Amino acid sequence: NRNKEAVRMSRQVVQNMPCTLNFVKNIILVREGGLVGQGARGVGGIWAGNLWYDCSGGKPDFDGLDWEKWRKCGKEIGGAYADPRFENADNFDFRLKSDSPAFALGFEPWDYSVSGRRKTK
């Protein structure tokens, strides 16, 4: 019972917390579930130049909105909803093919294999 109360209280704190997010020039690819989490419409900040795609073949879900409504509510400026055209996302090869719509949004190819944590001595 205490756990349920803690979850309820933490959910209320998160829902009432003012939040802003600068979410710019990202590629978002999902296989299942929504492209953004529940409550994303209430998150302020800048959402721009992103490339979104749901490869499940279903209707894209942006916190209960379709792509056009998501854009019209101001949650994506200058972005696109399209297949990013990765070389082979199923095998974690996220290099962009030469005809990727990401390039039209200003994305530049980079060697993602060198990103992430590094061991230090």
Side-chain angles (χ1 to χ4, degrees), residues 34-70:
L35 284 150
V36 297
Q38 183 178 4
R41 279 182 272 173
V43 177
I46 299 169
W47 300 60
N50 298 298
L51 180 59
W52 305 83
Y53 191 63
D54 180 347
C55 61
S56 71
K59 181 180 172 187
D61 179 7
F62 296 88
D63 191 13
L65 302 176
D66 65 17
W67 170 245
E68 287 305 314
K69 288 180 182 171
W70 178 251

Side-chain angles (χ1 to χ4, degrees), residues 72-84:
K72 286 180 182 173
C73 80
K75 284 301 178 191
E76 180 60 45
I77 299 164
Y81 180 82
D83 183 344

Side-chain angles (χ1 to χ4, degrees), residues 12-13 19-21 25 32 36 44 65 67-68 76 78 90 104:
Q12 183 177 3
V13 168
C19 180
T20 60
L21 171 71
K25 292 217 180 250
E32 58 184 55
V36 297
L65 302 176
W67 170 245
E68 287 305 314
E76 180 60 45
D90 290 336

Side-chain angles (χ1 to χ4, degrees), residues 27-31 51 55 83-98 100 102-103 107-113 115:
I27 299 176
I28 303 90
L29 176 75
V30 298
R31 293 172 198 239
L51 180 59
C55 61
D83 183 344
R85 309 269 304 130
F86 291 122
E87 285 291 337
N88 190 343
D90 290 336
N91 287 314
F92 303 98
D93 183 349
F94 296 108
R95 293 174 295 145
L96 295 169
K97 292 182 179 180
S98 62
S100 171
F103 296 125
F107 283 83
E108 296 180 17
W110 57 282
D111 185 358
Y112 66 87
S113 69
S115 66

